[in-house]
Amino acid sequence: MEGRMRMVYAPTVRQHPTPHLSRLLKRYLFPEGWGSFLQYVAFLLVLLLAVISVFPLYYCIITSLKPPEEVATVPPSLVLRRVSLQSYRDFLEGTGVANAPVSRWFLNSTVVTIVNTAGVLLINSLAGYSFARKQFPGKQVLFALIISTMLVPGWSTIIASYALTFKMGLHDTYWVLILPALASPFAVFLVRQFMLTLPTELFQAAIVDGASEFQLWSRIAIPLCKPVLAVLGLFTIIGSWNDFLWPLLVLNKSHMYTLPVGVSVIMYQIQGRGPDYGIAMSAAILMSIVPIVAFLLMQKQMVQGLTIGALKG
Amino acid sequence: MFRVTLLSPIRAKRRSKLAARERTAGLAFIAPFMIFFSVFTLLPFLMAFWLSVVNWKPLGVTQFVGFQHYQTLAKMEAFRKALWNSFYYTVMVVPPGIVLSLLIAVLIFALQSGALRSFFQAVFYLPGVVSGLAVAIIWRFIFDYQVGILNYIVKSFFHAQPINWLGDVRWALPSLALMAVLSGHGTAIIIFVAALGGIPKDLYDAASIDGAGFWRRHLSVTLPLIVPSFLYVLVVSTLGAMQVFTPVYVLTRGGPVYSTMTAAYFIYKRLTFYADAGTAAAGGLVLLLITVGLTIVQFRSFSQVVEF
């Protein structure tokens, strides 16, 4: 439409006797105008920044796959010439490191992540549902209190959590990683925001049909909330798997370490005899497989889930 | 009152019965959450105050010492240095990080292809799902004095002396900041892209009709409308940067000579190396005071710029 209008009025526009160079360039290179030129510029810039952003990950992957003698070379090589799994083998067998039951660490991380995720989904979907759709005294105050704790830096209460769980005798057990992680203000907020959008009629119809309160939650709210629960589940898997600081504080026995704690201890040990970057990079990759796969499985939903909290809050 | 008189007594009774049932269910459904929340979030918060005024012993007698821990902290050079470093690190990381992520978000938003947009959002988010520990380990290699790729660039492209990134008092903290700025703005980018998408196109058209140029349009339309998202990203990333721990733990352990001693690492060290929960808890509360102060300042200054 716009193009046709321009053609109609074209004769009235003053013609340049000798077209300017920039006009020529524009006409032949970007027939759709400067808009498409800006598209190219934006694309190239984003591409450049994206390459910078993922470069460390790429470099880590190829380094972990290099044969040990090619890892630390000057100049560094950015391509993989020969593939070798030696670094992975060295890491998994705990070569040269005292007391490193790596497979046990994998098991610990897996158990804690699975139990945490199931517990977080159950407890917070119950609470989120209640805050979104039920009326009870003190609701607003409680919700405000829960949300405001999100602004408290973890470091200001972590010492007290440490002392508390020590007194409860939980250190060096799975419980110390599970129980404190179950009630998550972020999760309640996420679930509540989603449940607020469900149509009231559905619940009213179910009440007329004689549904109990528990059935309202299990038969109506939960099935409708599957998308947000999937996102929350993935966030919890990633967060729980990656958690480092809390396990580092409360786990002291090496057979109870989670993978990140074990890796950090190995890093510290091999630092003494000059860092072995092949082992370090393979450890970093092995730690990252679970979160990366989780992200790739549902990246679109996670990207949407991230904005729920930010825009409506 | 008015509605009750309109209803028949039976219906009113059923109604109040339903409300009572809802109340019971509502409380029952939050009960599991409230139990764990009270024990593992609220209780530690109160306990932190108590720990900071007693001499806590894991095994043994605990005695009241008043404000002694706070006085000790005030005298410790390491603590003052830690607070300053945390603040300095935040200043080096947060503003450049926000500018960078806003720039990337604007560029992504400028792309017309929806597939490209979501592709790039995913690419920028990807490094963010990798744990901070793994990222720090990777950067340990990049920063290496002899075989690191950063010094290779310094030597062969800038023909300068290699820099001892992590071992030099002047470079250690800026190196950590560099790592933070270059790795992981995924969340901020996604939030900004969503905010840009939420701006109605009519506003730009209206501004154009009023004669606003490119810059004017973005200054008067884009900026005010993304302030809520901007504020969210600012507050959250400030909170994160003030508590930086993992890079310090993996890369520098607070050194050389306290140059990367941050508040979080100080607290960690007081607890684990010196078994001193008192000053650690007191330090945590001082950190709380500072971050709450920063958050209030940020909210205040931005609610003045734009009325929500």
Side-chain angles (χ1 to χ4, degrees), chain A residues 98-110:
Chain A
N99 208 7
V102 179
S103 51
R104 175 69 199 238
W105 299 342
F106 266 103
L107 176 74
N108 293 343
S109 277
T110 309

Side-chain angles (χ1 to χ4, degrees), chain B residues 11-40:
Chain B
R11 286 180 79 183
K13 204 174 170 188
R14 193 181 295 160
R15 224 185 151 78
S16 73
K17 226 177 170 178
L18 203 62
R21 171 185 132 167
E22 196 184 308
R23 202 159 50 229
T24 323
L27 290 169
F29 283 164
I30 63 162
F33 177 90
M34 286 314 294
I35 291 170
F36 287 108
F37 180 72
S38 309
V39 175
F40 292 106

Side-chain angles (χ1 to χ4, degrees), chain A residues 39 46 75-76 124 129-130 134-135 137 146 153-156 160 164 167 188 211 213 242 260 268 277 288 291 295 303 311, chain B residues 21-23 25-26 29 33 39 44 58 107 110 112 120 125 129-131 133 140-141 144 152 229 243 253 264 284 291:
Chain A
Q39 278 289 298
V46 174
N124 297 285
Y129 167 70
S130 181
K134 298 288 148 197
Q135 291 305 327
I146 292 167
W155 275 101
S156 57
L164 182 70
K167 282 286 177 203
V188 164
E213 288 289 341
N242 284 346
Y268 193 61
Y277 289 120
S288 311
F295 173 67
V303 164
L311 293 183
Chain B
R21 171 185 132 167
E22 196 184 308
R23 202 159 50 229
F29 283 164
F33 177 90
V39 175
L107 288 174
Q112 267 149 20
F120 277 118
Y125 192 67
V129 300
V130 174
S131 77
L133 177 67
R140 176 78 182 73
F141 185 28
D144 191 283
Y152 177 72
S229 314
Q243 297 187 77
R253 301 247 162 180
T291 51

Side-chain angles (χ1 to χ4, degrees), chain A residues 47-91:
Chain A
L47 193 65
L48 177 74
L49 291 165
V51 167
I52 294 175
S53 156
V54 292
F55 172 77
L57 201 55
Y58 163 80
Y59 194 43
C60 177
I61 292 173
I62 63 158
T63 306
S64 73
L65 290 170
K66 285 176 185 170
E69 65 275 10
E70 287 177 25
V71 164
T73 52
V74 182
S77 80
L78 296 182
V79 287
L80 193 57
R81 290 205 189 82
R82 281 195 297 143
V83 176
S84 151
L85 293 176
Q86 191 58 43
S87 296
Y88 285 93
R89 220 169 286 141
D90 285 348
F91 169 67

Side-chain angles (χ1 to χ4, degrees), chain B residues 71-298:
Chain B
Q71 287 164 351
T72 318
L73 278 184
K75 278 184 227 139
M76 288 175 82
E77 201 216 328
F79 184 62
R80 268 174 284 150
K81 192 83 190 157
L83 286 183
W84 168 248
N85 280 344
S86 290
F87 184 72
Y88 187 42
Y89 173 86
T90 304
V91 171
M92 282 193 289
V93 168
V94 173
I98 287 188
V99 169
L100 191 64
S101 45
L102 200 52
L103 172 75
I104 294 172
V106 168
L107 288 174
I108 289 180
F109 191 67
L111 297 173
Q112 267 149 20
S113 141
L116 268 185
R117 275 195 211 180
S118 29
F119 170 75
F120 277 118
Q121 290 195 51
V123 167
F124 281 107
Y125 192 67
L126 185 64
V129 300
V130 174
S131 77
L133 177 67
V135 171
I137 290 174
I138 297 170
W139 279 82
R140 176 78 182 73
F141 185 28
I142 293 174
F143 279 133
D144 191 283
Y145 184 70
Q146 276 155 6
V147 296
I149 199 160
L150 220 48
N151 266 348
Y152 177 72
I153 293 171
V154 167
K155 277 186 287 191
S156 49
F157 288 92
F158 296 100
H159 300 288
Q161 286 297 311
I163 295 165
N164 195 354
W165 298 97
L166 301 172
D168 188 321
V169 181
R170 289 163 303 169
W171 282 102
L173 196 62
S175 296
L176 297 185
L178 177 75
M179 178 194 125
V181 170
L182 288 183
S183 58
H185 296 291
T187 314
I189 291 168
I190 286 164
I191 288 169
F192 283 142
V193 170
L196 291 171
I199 301 174
K201 252 188 133 78
D202 318 5
L203 289 177
Y204 289 111
D205 297 341
S208 297
I209 289 168
D210 290 346
F214 176 83
W215 291 111
R216 182 76 212 168
R217 276 205 304 271
H218 283 290
L219 266 178
S220 314
V221 179
T222 313
L223 271 184
L225 285 173
I226 62 162
V227 159
S229 314
F230 182 86
L231 190 57
Y232 174 83
V233 171
L234 180 70
V235 168
V236 171
S237 48
T238 303
L239 206 58
M242 284 298 289
Q243 297 187 77
V244 59
F245 173 78
T246 308
V248 179
Y249 181 83
V250 177
L251 297 176
T252 60
R253 301 247 162 180
V257 221
Y258 294 150
S259 62
T260 57
M261 175 64 81
T262 61
Y265 193 71
F266 174 86
I267 294 169
Y268 169 79
K269 221 174 163 191
R270 287 317 297 176
L271 182 73
T272 55
F273 283 71
Y274 303 98
D276 180 3
T279 48
L285 290 176
V286 174
L287 182 67
L288 171 71
L289 210 64
I290 293 172
T291 51
V292 167
L294 282 177
T295 306
I296 290 173
V297 168
Q298 287 166 346

Side-chain angles (χ1 to χ4, degrees), chain A residues 211-227:
Chain A
S212 71
E213 288 289 341
F214 184 75
Q215 282 169 333
L216 289 182
W217 173 78
S218 66
R219 296 279 167 81
I220 299 185
I222 290 300
L224 288 173
C225 280
K226 268 185 191 151

Side-chain angles (χ1 to χ4, degrees), chain A residues 15-28 34:
Chain A
Q15 293 285 318
H16 287 265
T18 48
H20 207 266
L21 181 64
S22 69
R23 272 170 175 274
L24 272 178
L25 269 179
K26 184 181 161 188
R27 193 176 303 156
Y28 291 109
W34 286 118

